Amino acid sequence: MEHNNYDFGLVGLGVMGRNFILNVADNNFSAFGFDLDEEKVNALKEEGGNLEKVSASTEITTFIDALATPRKIMLLVPAGKIVDAVIENLLPHLEKGDIIIDGGNSFFTDTDRRDAYLAEKGIHFFGSGVSGGAKGARKGPSIMPGGNREAYKEVKPIFEAVSAKFKGEPCVAYLGPKSAGNYVKMVHNGIEYGLMQLTSEIYDLLKKAGGLTNEELHKVFNDWNKGRLQSFLVEITAEIFNQKDDKGDGDLVDKILDKAKQKGTGKWTSQNAMDLGIPVPSIDVAVSMREISALKEERVVADELYGRPTPAPIDKAELIKLAEEALYFAFINTYAQGLHQLADASAEYGYELDMSVIAKIWRAGCIIRAGLLEDISTAYTNDKKLPNLLLAPTFAEKVQATVPSAREVVAYAAKSGIPLPAVSNSLTYFDAYTSSKLPLNLIQAQRDHFGSHTYERNDMEGIFHTEWGA
Ligand code: 6PG
């Protein structure tokens, strides 16, 4: 390979970086990697794949000189200060028109700051979410780029080649200016938290109320994955119930400590939704449940102290049917909340997001890929300005048909002391969003009563205050 003509540069040859660069090479683009860690550079050289198209170095000048201009350099390094440090290292070597792509889960305001800083220097910056884990990076991730529209043309052929394909369509698209890509990826992760929490609640219900064994759970999730719940998360859930313990007897899932970790993207989604004033209760509670799960020692003491009711007997086949319908209902409500947040953020931050495009690039490659996304994409294609998925006639049908089961499941679980907070928040969200009248008139009265905060009336225009009790 000659000097100066590699198509693509990649900084950070950890698992994700290594897989991504090999994916680029598999698609016949030449790629040059850079990492300070010699072992990682060597590890890349030892990988299988189209190695003629790949090279790597620990020397930044070798790396920079190897790349054709405008240079297209993707960073796959941990979010935070490291991204700034890498940018500072690269900057003295770059030329105007070069492109830096941050492929990590960076916080969107960091991306805006970096974008403005680099724009002053004539460098284009892309905050680009990449979803699908290590396998996705190697075989085809869903990619969510945001940045300069013109500069995207330079990156487009490579991203379209390496991305996952849904019926031949690439799961990547230019999403919008500045941090649009990182923002979309953040909300993708918020939805991911919601769907994961929902599947774990349904697992709990089927196990505690229906007494399903792991073998039965494997079969149930496997069957569901062949129907309308078809999705990556349901698919891997089925697989998980089949996994034997590699360190002893029994099934691995039963040996895993019930404390879930998090790196922050779900929490950021919730926090920003609060800032925007958009309700995403199924995502909020998914974050809270990871926090409650972390309180293992306290939970053990409290369990001793309070105990819980014995679940009432229920027919297994009936329970499985109710659970499928409730899960489908809650999945829809969770996507609806995340997409509502995206639509609002788009207006607030000037992203000009196209929701049908976002749903399309989520149909393959990413963690929240699901059969449902095809219908979601169609709903937004039919109505570009759809404020909420729940208002799409095609979704009204699906929700109407499944909400009775969500009610049954939530009521049953509440009586049985089985916590289903994400299913029940999805139901409550639905009931509140579809109520033309809510009791918040009383809150307005209370606010005016104790704080003279004023209120509006439903029978005449204006702002009113009353001397209550006078
Ligand atoms: C993806 C994932 C990925 C991230 C997980 C884990 O889309 O491939 O979202 O970016 O590793 O979200 O996040 P937590 O550690 O917070 O669960």
Side-chain angles (χ1 to χ4, degrees), residues 365-419:
C366 68
I367 305 296
I368 65 168
R369 62 185 185 256
L372 249 179
L373 282 159
E374 179 74 345
D375 302 339
I376 294 177
S377 161
T378 309
Y380 281 100
T381 306
N382 292 344
D383 181 357
K384 290 262 177 221
K385 296 216 166 353
L386 188 66
N388 191 312
L389 198 56
L390 293 177
L391 297 177
T394 44
F395 274 85
E397 268 172 42
K398 300 180 202 300
V399 168
Q400 211 58 300
T402 48
V403 63
S405 298
R407 296 192 196 289
E408 290 268 330
V409 160
V410 167
Y412 174 88
K415 279 191 191 153
S416 306
I418 300 170

Side-chain angles (χ1 to χ4, degrees), residues 118-384:
L118 289 167
E120 273 174 24
K121 301 181 188 314
I123 309 291
H124 299 298
F125 186 64
F126 284 86
S128 179
V130 177
S131 178
K135 244 190 211 165
R138 183 75 177 86
K139 296 281 172 210
S142 169
I143 312 178
M144 296 156 239
N148 182 291
R149 187 185 288 272
E150 274 301 301
Y152 181 67
K153 290 183 184 146
E154 297 286 341
V155 184
K156 188 176 172 201
I158 303 179
F159 273 7
E160 290 195 347
V162 302
S163 71
K165 307 290 177 302
F166 182 85
K167 295 187 181 155
E169 286 180 60
C171 288
V172 58
Y174 172 80
L175 294 181
K178 299 183 292 178
S179 56
N182 278 128
Y183 196 93
V184 170
K185 176 61 171 41
M186 177 184 80
V187 173
H188 164 284
N189 283 25
I191 297 172
E192 170 186 305
Y193 273 49
L195 305 183
M196 290 168 80
Q197 176 59 30
L198 288 167
T199 45
S200 78
E201 290 176 12
I202 294 297
Y203 152 54
D204 204 24
L205 176 78
L206 293 174
K207 188 176 160 122
K208 287 186 182 148
L212 269 77
T213 61
N214 290 332
E215 206 180 323
E216 288 171 313
L217 285 163
H218 165 75
K219 190 179 171 322
V220 165
F221 278 89
N222 223 358
D223 288 349
W224 288 355
N225 193 44
K226 292 181 191 130
R228 61 186 168 180
L229 277 172
Q230 185 277 316
S231 56
F232 172 70
L233 286 167
V234 168
E235 180 191 330
I236 64 163
T237 303
E239 216 172 278
I240 286 167
F241 291 122
N242 221 9
Q243 187 81 37
K244 295 288 161 219
D245 184 4
D246 50 354
K247 305 224 172 343
D249 294 337
D251 299 329
L252 184 55
V253 69
D254 297 327
K255 308 282 176 63
I256 296 179
L257 187 64
D258 56 341
K259 277 165 109 169
K261 298 272 190 322
Q262 51 180 321
K263 289 197 278 294
T265 44
K267 185 179 78 180
W268 295 343
T269 307
S270 272
Q271 283 175 326
N272 192 252
M274 284 275 176
D275 288 343
L276 294 172
I278 295 296
V280 293
S282 305
I283 297 171
D284 298 337
V285 85
V287 178
S288 298
M289 284 307 287
R290 292 201 188 189
E291 287 152 3
I292 293 185
S293 85
L295 305 173
K296 174 80 175 178
E297 292 72 21
E298 290 168 50
R299 287 193 284 119
V300 170
V301 177
D303 194 348
E304 275 286 304
L305 187 62
Y306 290 99
R308 65 195 57 256
T310 311
I314 183 163
D315 178 72
K316 216 188 240 186
E318 175 64 10
L319 179 70
I320 293 171
K321 183 175 172 288
L322 289 174
E324 190 271 341
E325 289 174 350
L327 187 58
Y328 186 66
F329 168 87
F331 266 26
I332 292 175
N333 274 269
T334 304
Y335 281 109
Q337 292 165 34
L339 292 166
H340 191 194
Q341 176 170 349
L342 281 180
D344 197 75
S346 178
E348 181 71 24
Y349 303 129
Y351 293 147
E352 293 176 23
L353 299 176
D354 182 331
M355 311 300 287
S356 64
V357 168
I358 293 170
K360 275 196 174 127
I361 66 166
W362 285 350
R363 289 175 304 176
C366 68
I367 305 296
I368 65 168
R369 62 185 185 256
L372 249 179
L373 282 159
E374 179 74 345
D375 302 339
I376 294 177
S377 161
T378 309
Y380 281 100
T381 306
N382 292 344
D383 181 357
K384 290 262 177 221

Side-chain angles (χ1 to χ4, degrees), residues 1-6 8-11 31-36 41 45 55-68 71 73 89-90 93:
M1 195 95 226
E2 281 177 44
H3 209 52
N4 241 354
N5 60 359
Y6 279 82
F8 194 72
L10 200 138
V11 177
F32 204 99
F34 169 69
D35 201 298
L36 290 174
V41 168
K45 290 178 177 161
S55 193
S57 172
T58 54
E59 293 295 326
I60 193 153
T61 45
T62 312
F63 171 67
I64 295 287
D65 288 346
L67 303 176
R71 297 181 182 83
I73 302 175
N89 273 347
L90 289 171
H93 307 279

